[in-house]
Amino acid sequence: MAENIKGWQRTSRCAEIDQGALGEEMILMGWCHKQRDLGGLVFITLRDRSGEIQLLIDESCPAAAREKAALVRSEYVIAARGVLQKRSSPNPEMPTGNVELLVQELRILSQAQTPPFYIEEDVKANEALRLKHRYLDLRRPDMQRKLHLRHKITRLTRDFFAQAGFWEIETPMLTRSTPEGARDYVVPSRVFPGSFFALPQSPQLFKQLLMLAGYDRYMQIVRCFRDEDLRADRQPEFTQIDLEMAFVDSEDVLRVNEAYLQKLFAEIAGVSIELPLQRMTYAEAMRRFGSDKPDLRFALELVDVSDLFMESPFKVFSTTLAADGRIGLINVPSGADMTRKEIDSLTEYVKTYRAKGLAWLALEESPRGSLARFIDQDLLETLKERAGAKENDLLLFVADQEDVTLEALGQLRCEVARRRKLIKPGDFKLLWVTEFPLLEYDEDSQRFVARHHPFTSPLDEDMDLLEKDPARVRAKAYDIILNGTELGGGSIRIHDEKLQQKMFALLGLDQEEARARFGFLLEAFQYGVPPHGGLAYGLDRMVMLFTGSSSIRDVIAFPKVQTSACLMTQAPNQIDPEQLAELGLAWQEEEGSLPDGQ
Ligand code: ASP
């Protein structure tokens, strides 16, 4: 029978006791982590979200307490009244390891079955089992630390932006399709059979409308939904820290956010960030690092050497150049010691990024490598100078179409940095990448798509290219990058109805289609729109970085697995025929439609 806590009030959490209060009476409550019965002497490790403390029940304790202590098993919920005393054999591993509670009275508040896995810091159980019993997994100190840090981040975020004059305003979850370009999650309407709400991919349109409505500075910590095939760092529902400001230019948005990031890093990671943050245009990031989210914790910059191989006897290089391709390299300092096997495996690595191969040159006394016989002394000197290379360095070359060369080398530099341990642990490198292309050409649909979203403003100086050469138009868009990962991104928006119409036209949306999808926005734009812009951070990713988690599931209390299913609640689930009928829906049986674990 479960007892209750009648008449008792917990005096503190287990590890938050005043350890100096020896001889004082305390009431503690929590889970039994471990019970050891040495016959006449029972030790119980009591656990709550603050940590653990030892309970001692010995012969001096009342008989009722001794009897109950013998019954306690792992994960029982218990309450203990006792007196704090010094531990005769302290445990230096435990923050409360110098003290223990000598129990006077014990209550068993709830019994527990043996859990399917042992609740411990370095859990050995597989993830599917942990997720099925997530409430047990969440008892682990590791998970509690991560969710605590998440709480600290959201709290700091709210405080910071509130102080900076932002109002937290909620936006609807049941809405129309929003423009982030992923597949929508939809919810059928009972009142309008055949019609559906979409869950928001972001509050983009609503936050813009709030600016138009005069709310000036908005923020929200908000759930967003995108029905995409999940990769390791994605979840179908994820959280954004979403911001929008009126009467601002990019500069103003960046400035507020830099102050936020400085505070965040100082208080959450104890890292001091110098302002202003480094900025780099998209074009420069691609040219120097082969990525629009460069990791600046190490150098290994890309070097373009196309002009040096125009006449090369090495056929692969000359034919690539003849076809308008590019030859680039990275210089691996002291890399000449790399084994053939390592170079082969890097070759396989670049192939996964569509590169045809990797050529190499080890700068030993007489250069060695697949390129060696095509390089004369002059060319060698020029190469060394351009790459800033010295004896015993290794040059790794990719020759391909420009985009392939850049991407393959960009990925290669990160892989080489990982393998050669060039990244200092605890190093944080933040930067803004700016001036992204406004549009991207989608080969499949043979038309332009918005790179960010259709409400992003072109750069003023590129406005006249909109008609002439849309591919070259740059946007007032910015991403904030941390250690090669995008933490967030945003833009200054179009606030002119005519320009917005033009943008829709460029994206191949005719007037009717634009009206059908975004009519309410276009209509609103006729009633006075302040210049505005904003940004959204991916909160989950931010917490991952600060907690050093390799999986996004580790920073979300109740996450989904790769198939978008929840192993604990077994959602999604089929609904009964009456409910379907009420929604005006019919179900067509299809094989393999049940989610994992069902
Ligand atoms: N709504 C955008 C996104 O989710 C962010 C922004 O432009 O503010 O990527």
Side-chain angles (χ1 to χ4, degrees):
M1 253 280 285
E3 294 181 271
N4 61 36
I5 54 172
K6 198 161 174 218
W8 279 17
Q9 201 159 42
R10 183 163 71 150
T11 49
S12 78
R13 292 197 183 84
C14 297
E16 289 168 1
I17 51 159
D18 173 3
Q19 294 196 39
L22 296 174
E24 270 185 28
E25 188 176 281
M26 296 180 177
I27 295 177
L28 301 177
M29 302 180 189
W31 285 258
C32 165
H33 182 58
K34 203 157 66 187
Q35 186 260 32
R36 278 183 306 143
D37 192 341
L38 309 181
L41 200 60
V42 179
F43 295 100
I44 294 174
T45 325
L46 187 68
R47 180 190 67 227
D48 64 17
R49 73 171 204 210
S50 68
E52 295 177 341
I53 186 166
Q54 173 163 291
L55 308 182
L56 172 67
I57 303 95
D58 66 12
E59 265 145 13
S60 72
C61 300
R66 297 207 313 266
E67 276 159 29
K68 243 179 240 169
L71 301 176
V72 172
R73 297 287 170 269
S74 286
E75 303 314 315
Y76 276 32
V77 184
I78 58 177
R81 182 176 60 76
V83 174
L84 194 70
Q85 66 178 26
K86 251 194 151 47
R87 239 170 107 155
S88 53
S89 49
N91 177 353
E93 310 269 293
M94 241 168 116
T96 60
N98 288 322
V99 292
E100 64 192 2
L101 197 74
L102 182 65
V103 175
Q104 300 306 312
E105 196 183 339
L106 199 65
R107 295 185 188 174
I108 296 179
L109 306 179
S110 167
Q111 299 186 346
Q113 290 191 16
T114 307
F117 55 91
Y118 192 57
I119 316 287
E120 61 189 333
E121 179 84 25
D122 295 313
V123 69
K124 293 182 192 66
N126 72 45
E127 201 186 6
L129 188 65
R130 287 168 48 210
L131 289 176
K132 181 160 191 299
H133 301 276
R134 184 60 156 181
Y135 41 87
L136 295 178
D137 194 38
L138 289 173
R139 286 185 190 169
R140 295 189 305 110
D142 179 41
M143 286 305 305
Q144 299 195 335
R145 259 197 313 274
K146 287 179 174 162
L147 292 184
H148 187 207
L149 195 92
R150 187 176 175 122
H151 156 73
K152 286 195 196 158
I153 292 174
T154 51
R155 168 136 192 230
L156 176 144
T157 303
R158 287 204 163 92
D159 287 351
F160 176 89
F161 286 108
Q163 260 177 18
F166 287 73
W167 289 0
E168 189 165 351
I169 301 174
E170 287 161 276
T171 50
M173 289 287 115
L174 295 177
T175 180
R176 283 184 77 101
S177 187
T178 54
E180 311 297 341
R183 206 179 290 118
D184 286 321
Y185 275 100
V186 294
V187 179
S189 157
R190 179 182 54 79
V191 181
F192 299 99
S195 292
F196 294 80
F197 293 104
L199 301 180
Q201 294 185 29
S202 86
Q204 185 61 35
L205 294 170
F206 292 103
K207 67 176 176 174
Q208 290 194 236
L209 290 169
L210 284 169
M211 294 305 107
L212 190 147
Y215 286 79
D216 217 59
R217 287 183 167 206
Y218 139 98
M219 77 85 64
Q220 187 181 192
I221 297 185
V222 62
R223 204 63 61 80
C224 302
F225 306 84
R226 297 183 193 177
D227 186 3
E228 293 174 301
D229 292 330
L230 297 192
R231 294 201 310 247
D233 60 347
R234 291 251 174 95
Q235 282 280 304
E237 51 178 314
F238 60 96
T239 308
Q240 283 189 345
I241 299 170
D242 194 41
L243 311 168
E244 196 74 6
M245 305 163 76
F247 307 112
V248 292
D249 210 341
S250 302
E251 217 36 62
D252 305 294
V253 180
L254 266 45
R255 206 169 322 118
V256 173
N257 281 285
E258 289 190 348
Y260 164 64
L261 290 164
Q262 190 176 50
K263 191 171 168 76
L264 183 73
F265 274 80
E267 291 188 17
I268 300 297
V271 170
S272 79
I273 300 277
E274 255 181 64
L275 299 186
L277 294 180
Q278 184 174 349
R279 296 194 192 167
M280 198 180 283
T281 63
Y282 167 86
E284 183 181 350
M286 291 307 293
R287 180 169 48 77
R288 290 176 55 195
F289 301 99
S291 166
D292 59 0
K293 32 180 182 291
D295 190 337
L296 300 187
R297 288 175 298 173
F298 51 90
L300 300 179
E301 281 194 30
L302 276 53
V303 183
D304 187 347
V305 289
S306 309
D307 58 313
L308 305 182
F309 288 94
M310 290 300 187
E311 317 276 292
S312 176
F314 186 37
K315 273 273 153 347
V316 178
F317 278 16
S318 46
T319 46
T320 300
L321 291 172
D324 230 13
R326 286 257 162 268
I327 300 169
L329 65 80
I330 59 168
N331 172 31
V332 185
S334 311
D337 62 352
M338 219 186 261
T339 62
R340 235 356 248 276
K341 212 167 128 205
E342 279 174 281
I343 294 174
D344 287 347
S345 103
L346 288 176
T347 308
E348 288 312 308
Y349 183 80
V350 293
K351 282 186 185 164
T352 59
Y353 294 96
R354 296 178 295 151
K356 285 188 277 301
L358 195 62
W360 60 285
L361 195 64
L363 300 177
E364 290 168 350
E365 206 163 308
S366 69
R368 199 166 52 83
S370 59
L371 264 190
R373 64 197 174 91
F374 302 105
I375 308 263
D376 62 24
Q377 195 58 33
D378 278 354
L379 183 52
L380 183 68
E381 288 314 315
T382 319
L383 272 174
K384 275 167 103 170
E385 198 187 307
R386 188 163 311 168
K390 46 182 185 6
E391 277 289 298
N392 292 323
D393 288 356
L394 173 73
L395 304 181
L396 298 173
F397 297 75
V398 171
D400 229 299
Q401 291 164 23
E402 181 168 8
D403 57 335
V404 176
T405 299
L406 292 179
E407 190 191 356
L409 284 172
Q411 295 289 347
L412 179 67
R413 70 179 277 278
C414 297
E415 182 64 11
V416 167
R418 278 189 291 269
R419 291 194 188 181
R420 296 183 73 85
K421 305 209 169 19
L422 303 181
I423 303 171
K424 257 202 306 224
D427 197 7
F428 286 105
K429 283 284 181 330
L430 271 167
L431 85 151
W432 292 107
V433 174
T434 62
E435 298 183 12
F436 282 85
L438 183 72
L439 303 164
E440 232 166 27
Y441 196 71
D442 179 45
E443 294 292 344
D444 291 340
S445 57
Q446 299 272 309
R447 59 186 184 93
F448 283 111
V449 291
R451 196 180 160 104
H452 189 46
H453 51 58
F455 309 106
T456 296
S457 170
L459 273 192
D460 300 332
E461 55 268 43
D462 288 359
M463 222 45 109
D464 58 340
L465 290 174
L466 269 179
E467 261 140 50
K468 279 189 281 180
D469 194 356
R472 280 184 43 221
V473 178
R474 291 162 299 168
K476 290 184 184 170
Y478 31 77
D479 276 357
I480 178 78
I481 309 299
L482 172 64
N483 296 351
T485 311
E486 181 193 326
L487 267 191
S491 60
I492 295 298
R493 326 298 181 188
I494 294 169
H495 76 284
D496 174 61
E497 194 214 341
K498 297 270 167 326
L499 182 57
Q500 188 62 67
Q501 299 267 26
K502 196 186 241 178
M503 182 72 178
F504 285 144
L506 268 174
L507 299 174
L509 287 181
D510 61 32
Q511 275 208 357
E512 215 168 295
E513 221 178 323
R515 287 243 160 253
R517 284 189 63 192
F518 305 116
F520 62 102
L521 185 85
L522 292 173
E523 192 185 343
F525 266 35
Q526 295 170 352
Y527 296 100
V529 197
H532 60 287
L535 176 132
Y537 295 94
L539 174 66
D540 310 289
R541 219 177 265 178
M542 191 187 272
V543 182
M544 273 175 81
L545 284 158
F546 281 122
T547 53
S549 306
S550 52
S551 159
I552 193 168
R553 294 182 295 277
D554 281 353
V555 297
I556 296 175
F558 298 104
K560 311 270 191 299
V561 293
Q562 208 87 357
T563 52
S564 295
C566 168
L567 298 187
M568 186 183 70
T569 60
Q570 310 235 312
N573 59 307
Q574 297 193 331
I575 55 176
D576 48 40
E578 295 82 66
Q579 212 176 342
L580 274 180
E582 208 172 32
L583 295 166
L585 298 175
W587 167 243
Q588 246 179 15
E589 200 68 43
E590 205 186 333
E591 254 181 75
S593 54
L594 289 182
D596 244 20
Q598 292 193 30

